[in-house]
Amino acid sequence: MVDSDIIVVGAGPVGMLAALLSAQQGSNVLLLEQSSQRPIQSRAIGITPPSLEILSRLGLAGVFIEHGVAVRISEVYGGNMRLGGIDFSGLKTDFPFVLSIPQDRTEILLEEAVRANSSVRFLRGHQVTDCTEDQEQVSVSGNCPDAGLFHYTGQYLLACDGGKSRVRESLAIPFEGAPDRYTFLMGDYEDTTGWGGKARFFFTERGSVESFPLPEGKRRYVVRTPFFIKENTAGYLRTELLRRAGIDVDGIAKFWESSFGVQRYSAKRFCKGRVFLCGDAAHLMSPIGGQNMNIGFADAELAAWLTKVLLEKRATCHLVSRLYDRVRKKAVSAACRRAQLMMLAGTSGGR
C-alpha cells in the first residue's frame, strides 16, 4: 500500500501544473510544498502559446487570459528609431500571443484549481529532505514545523522543487553548469507610456532595456547591469531607463524591484527509476523570454502522461525513463539555444 499514486514535490507553477495534469489522468496526487505561505513576488511573467494550450486542456486558459495581457506585437528600437517588430498573430495556434501575467497571479490561479480538485491532497509547510526509490515504490521524508517528521510513499514522484532540489540531491544526480556573467535589474511600475499591450525593446550604446505590459495598468522594465546591483539601493534602474530609452519613471508608482543573475545548469539525468525531474529541478537557463518556466510546463505535461502509462503497465520503467530523458533533454537544449540568442541580442553593446 502507498499513500498516493503520484507524489509531487514543490508547489511552484510547474509543481501545481504537474499535480493538476496527473489528477486529470486519473491519478490521486499528494502535493508537498515546504513554504507555509505562497510567495507574492511578480517574477516570471511570460506564458507562451504551447503552455496556454496545456492550460486549455485543463480548462484554465480562459481564466488566465482574463487576468493577463495578451502581447501580440513586440517592437524594437535603437534609441528613438524604430528598427523593426514582431507580430505573433500569424502563429498557427488558438493562442497567437504571449500572455503577460505575474508569477504570483499564476500561482494564485493554479492553487485555486488545485484546492478545488478532490484528487489532489495539498500540504504546505512540508519540507522534503530525503527521497528514495526502489522497484516497488518511491518514499519521501522530511519535517513539518506544525506536525514534526513525516514520511510518505507513492508509486511515482515528480520533483518540481527548484534549482536546489533536495530530491535530486538525495538521488545523487549531478547538476552540471555554472553561473553566467550577465546580471540584470527589473522593476514593475505604473504604466504611463501609452504603449498599450505592446512589448518594446531598446538596444542602445549604454545597454538594453526590455519593457512588457502587465495587467492592472502596470509595466515591467528590465535593464542589463555591468555587475550585480542590489535592488532598491542606488536608483540605478530609474536613471538607466531615462538615459537609455528616454523613459522617465521619476515620481511614477513602483510596485516591485529585483536584481538577478543568469545561471545555466542541467541535471545529468532527468529521470531515475520512479522519479521524474521537472522545471528548475532539471534545468536552469536564462529567464529571458520565459524559457525556463514554459519548458518546465512541458516537462510536467510529459511526466504526467508517462506516469499514467506506467500505472496502467503499458510500458516498463526503464523504457519510459529513457524516453523522458531523451525527449526533454532535446527540448531543453533547443530552449537554451533560444535563450542564448536572446541573451546575445540583449547584452551586445554599441550600434
Side-chain angles (χ1 to χ4, degrees):
M1 296 292 293
V2 293
D3 296 301
S4 64
D5 296 325
I6 306 295
I7 297 176
V8 178
V9 179
V14 173
M16 285 192 283
L17 185 74
L20 290 168
L21 289 167
S22 296
Q24 187 185 53
Q25 300 282 9
S27 300
N28 61 75
V29 182
L30 174 62
L31 175 59
L32 302 173
E33 165 58 37
Q34 67 174 353
S35 300
S36 58
Q37 296 182 336
R38 184 178 56 250
I40 57 172
Q41 297 166 328
S42 181
R43 294 185 291 175
I45 61 172
I47 299 182
T48 58
S51 294
L52 288 169
E53 290 170 5
I54 296 173
L55 290 169
S56 178
R57 290 192 283 276
L58 288 168
L60 295 175
V63 69
F64 268 78
I65 293 170
E66 180 184 339
H67 285 85
V69 177
V71 180
R72 302 177 187 275
I73 295 176
S74 292
E75 297 180 325
V76 181
Y77 283 75
N80 293 323
M81 182 187 300
R82 188 180 187 277
L83 303 179
I86 299 172
D87 186 344
F88 299 124
S89 62
L91 292 175
K92 298 184 185 303
T93 170
D94 292 335
F95 308 102
F97 52 84
V98 175
L99 186 69
S100 179
I101 180 170
Q103 184 170 329
D104 57 343
R105 175 58 59 179
T106 292
E107 294 191 14
I108 288 172
L109 296 176
L110 287 173
E111 183 166 339
E112 288 175 351
V114 164
R115 293 196 180 279
N117 194 310
S118 61
S119 296
V120 181
R121 181 186 179 195
F122 183 18
L123 300 178
R124 280 197 175 275
H126 283 62
Q127 182 181 24
V128 171
T129 57
D130 189 56
C131 173
T132 59
E133 64 90 25
D134 55 35
Q135 292 184 348
E136 301 298 328
Q137 63 183 25
V138 61
S139 302
V140 295
S141 57
N143 181 64
C144 173
D146 295 330
L149 299 178
F150 65 82
H151 180 84
Y152 294 110
T153 58
Q155 297 275 22
Y156 298 96
L157 184 145
L158 309 186
C160 309
D161 53 338
K164 298 179 180 179
S165 170
R166 297 300 295 269
V167 172
R168 187 190 64 238
E169 292 175 358
S170 295
L171 298 175
I173 300 175
F175 202 42
E176 300 172 342
D180 214 324
R181 66 182 184 277
Y182 299 121
T183 57
F184 296 85
L185 192 59
M186 61 182 175
D188 295 349
Y189 286 81
E190 178 186 353
D191 188 359
T192 60
T193 63
W195 299 338
K198 294 180 180 179
R200 281 200 181 183
F201 300 84
F202 296 84
F203 297 147
T204 76
E205 293 188 17
R206 288 188 65 88
S208 64
V209 174
E210 303 165 29
S211 175
F212 307 96
L214 291 170
E216 300 177 348
K218 301 176 184 178
R219 183 165 282 268
R220 163 76 55 87
Y221 298 103
V222 186
V223 301
R224 184 193 171 189
T225 57
F227 49 86
F228 189 85
I229 296 175
K230 185 69 175 174
E231 63 267 17
N232 301 312
T233 55
Y236 185 89
L237 180 58
R238 173 176 53 81
T239 301
E240 287 302 307
L241 287 174
L242 185 61
R243 288 180 176 178
R244 298 183 193 187
I247 301 171
D248 189 357
V249 294
D250 190 25
I252 303 300
K254 181 174 70 174
F255 303 98
W256 181 70
E257 186 174 314
S258 179
S259 50
F260 65 95
V262 175
Q263 302 181 75
R264 284 187 288 174
Y265 286 87
S266 182
K268 188 74 171 179
R269 302 173 62 177
F270 283 13
C271 187
K272 184 176 181 181
R274 294 175 174 268
V275 178
F276 296 76
L277 303 184
C278 303
D280 290 359
H283 45 75
L284 288 173
M285 65 188 78
S286 167
I288 300 297
Q291 296 293 307
N292 218 45
M293 182 177 71
N294 287 281
I295 289 296
F297 285 166
D299 295 339
E301 181 187 38
L302 183 58
W305 179 73
L306 288 175
T307 50
K308 175 180 172 62
V309 170
L310 288 167
L311 287 167
E312 294 175 348
K313 302 188 184 304
R314 290 189 280 139
T316 65
C317 203
H318 176 68
L319 179 64
V320 165
S321 177
R322 289 179 57 192
L323 176 64
Y324 182 79
D325 200 58
R326 182 174 71 251
V327 170
R328 295 317 303 154
K329 280 188 174 180
K330 183 177 180 180
V332 168
S333 178
C336 284
R337 287 195 299 271
R338 287 194 298 270
Q340 284 302 108
L341 287 171
M342 286 186 277
M343 283 287 294
L344 179 63
T347 56
S348 297
R351 290 177 61 85

